[in-house]
């Protein structure tokens, strides 16, 4: 159930459930405030009734989606803002806020990965159910989440666009940090394509056949190059190699 109305800003509070808390005052926010001052709020924000802890009756409204538009409206000196009022429980509110964030056109790969992590941490989801909701495959969602496991230097290179998310996924196939950083160095120094970076994987890890222990269990181990999920294509030749040198 939902309804549309203009609501005084004084009756609206920011979300207490927003999984990605950050300062909303930035150059982009000021630009949005200038636009709002000139044109008004074109896209309504989404709110739900606000129920303060220990209270039996709602007191105003809580933002579900659109906190930047709300902040910009305050900065622009508006008194009211257009709202869509929805009936949502906490889980539904968190999920809707995350999905709206994922629909932003300027979302960077690591921001996208962070949003998927929020869905996994705050709502009962799997790779597949998240993919179904955002129109992506389960492997795509899993791949984005793998980026969050990379060393900080690799994530920084992705954020600064020195390498692509695709390169990051190649690096993520190695599980030893030293080797991950070595591959990062090779990619940036030699300007390797994603395919060339994949081919370079064969220089890393260890030949399973040379292990000084019974390797029977290696057939099902996630470190086995053959068993690893390949997020890019199916022809990377890692059969017989353990991708965790340690």
């Amino acid at each position: 159930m939902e309804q549309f109305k203009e609501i005084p800003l004084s009756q609206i509070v920011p979300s207490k459930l927003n999984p990605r808390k950050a300062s909303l005052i930035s150059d982009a926010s000021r630009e949005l405030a200038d636009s709002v001052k000139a044109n008004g709020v074109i896209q309504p924000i989404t709110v739900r009734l606000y129920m303060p802890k220990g209270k039996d009756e709602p007191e105003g409204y809580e933002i579900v989606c659109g906190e930047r538009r709300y902040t910009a409206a305050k900065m622009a000196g508006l008194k009211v803002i257009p709202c869509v009022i929805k009936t949502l429980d906490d889980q539904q509110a968190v999920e809707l806020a995350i999905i709206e964030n994922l629909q932003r056109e300027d979302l960077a790969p690591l921001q996208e990965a962070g949003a998927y992590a929020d869905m996994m941490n705050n709502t009962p989801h799997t790779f597949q159910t998240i993919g179904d909701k955002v129109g992506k495959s389960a492997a795509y969602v899993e791949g984005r989440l793998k980026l969050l496991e990379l060393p900080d230097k690799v994530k920084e290179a992705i954020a600064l666009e020195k390498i692509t998310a695709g390169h990051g996924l190649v690096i993520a196939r190695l599980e030893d940090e030293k080797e991950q950083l070595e591959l990062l160095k090779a990619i940036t120094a030699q300007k390797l394509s994603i395919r060339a970076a994949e081919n370079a994987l064969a220089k890393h890890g260890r030949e399973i056949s040379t292990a000084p222990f019974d390797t029977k269990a290696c057939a099902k181990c996630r470190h086995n190059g053959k068993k690893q999920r390949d997020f890019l294509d199916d022809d990377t030749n890692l059969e017989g190699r353990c991708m965790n040198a340690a």
Side-chain angles (χ1 to χ4, degrees):
M1 178 182 176
E2 62 181 58
Q3 68 177 110
F4 173 85
K5 67 182 292 189
E6 289 197 335
I7 299 174
L9 291 171
S10 59
Q11 295 180 18
I12 300 173
V13 298
S15 173
K16 65 180 186 295
L17 299 172
N18 188 341
R20 303 193 69 73
K21 293 293 184 183
S23 173
L24 297 175
I25 307 299
S26 63
D27 290 342
S29 296
R30 293 185 178 92
E31 289 176 6
L32 180 57
D34 291 340
S35 175
V36 166
K37 193 170 185 177
N39 306 299
V41 178
I42 297 173
Q43 182 182 0
I45 68 172
T46 302
V47 299
R48 63 176 182 164
L49 289 174
Y50 174 57
M51 186 75 73
K53 189 174 182 179
K55 299 287 186 178
D56 296 326
E57 296 292 333
E59 295 183 2
Y61 300 88
E62 178 185 34
I63 298 171
V64 176
C65 304
E67 197 159 333
R68 289 185 184 278
R69 275 164 279 156
Y70 162 80
T71 301
K74 289 181 68 176
M75 292 170 67
L78 270 60
K79 301 299 181 184
V80 298
I81 188 169
C83 299
V84 174
I85 306 169
K86 293 194 174 189
T87 302
L88 302 167
D89 61 25
D90 286 355
Q91 180 180 315
Q92 292 169 328
V94 169
E95 185 173 292
L96 186 61
I98 294 170
I99 290 175
E100 193 213 35
N101 190 42
L102 283 165
Q103 292 173 342
R104 285 170 44 202
E105 292 182 0
D106 62 343
L107 203 63
L110 290 171
Q111 291 176 315
E112 182 184 6
Y116 293 143
D118 288 335
M119 288 188 77
M120 294 290 286
N121 295 333
N122 292 283
T123 58
H125 275 297
T126 63
F127 302 138
Q128 186 62 59
T129 59
I130 291 176
D132 290 343
K133 284 188 174 291
V134 300
K136 304 289 186 181
S137 69
Y140 178 91
V141 174
E142 185 178 1
R144 279 295 187 262
L145 287 168
K146 288 286 287 184
L147 297 179
L148 298 179
E149 300 174 10
L150 290 166
D152 288 342
K153 285 188 177 179
V154 180
K155 287 189 284 189
E156 180 181 1
I158 295 172
L160 295 176
E161 299 185 349
K162 293 181 178 179
I163 64 173
T164 67
H167 287 106
L169 291 179
V170 176
I171 295 171
R173 297 197 64 178
L174 296 169
E175 308 223 11
D176 180 78
E177 183 171 337
K178 181 180 177 181
E179 291 200 321
Q180 289 176 327
L181 295 178
E182 286 176 358
L183 183 53
L184 170 65
K185 184 177 180 180
I187 290 171
T188 54
Q190 301 172 39
K191 302 187 184 306
L192 298 180
S193 66
I194 293 174
R195 177 54 60 85
E198 279 193 296
N199 292 337
L201 283 173
K203 301 175 183 178
H204 296 274
R206 297 289 184 272
E207 285 289 343
I208 294 174
S209 62
T210 65
F213 51 80
D214 185 351
T215 61
K216 184 177 180 180
C218 295
K220 296 182 179 180
C221 178
R222 69 185 181 90
H223 302 305
N224 189 324
K226 183 179 180 180
K227 298 297 292 185
Q228 280 189 335
R229 180 187 294 279
D230 193 333
F231 302 109
L232 299 170
D233 52 48
D234 298 323
D235 62 0
T236 302
N237 184 18
L238 297 177
E239 185 169 356
R241 296 192 73 78
C242 172
M243 304 313 294
N244 188 348

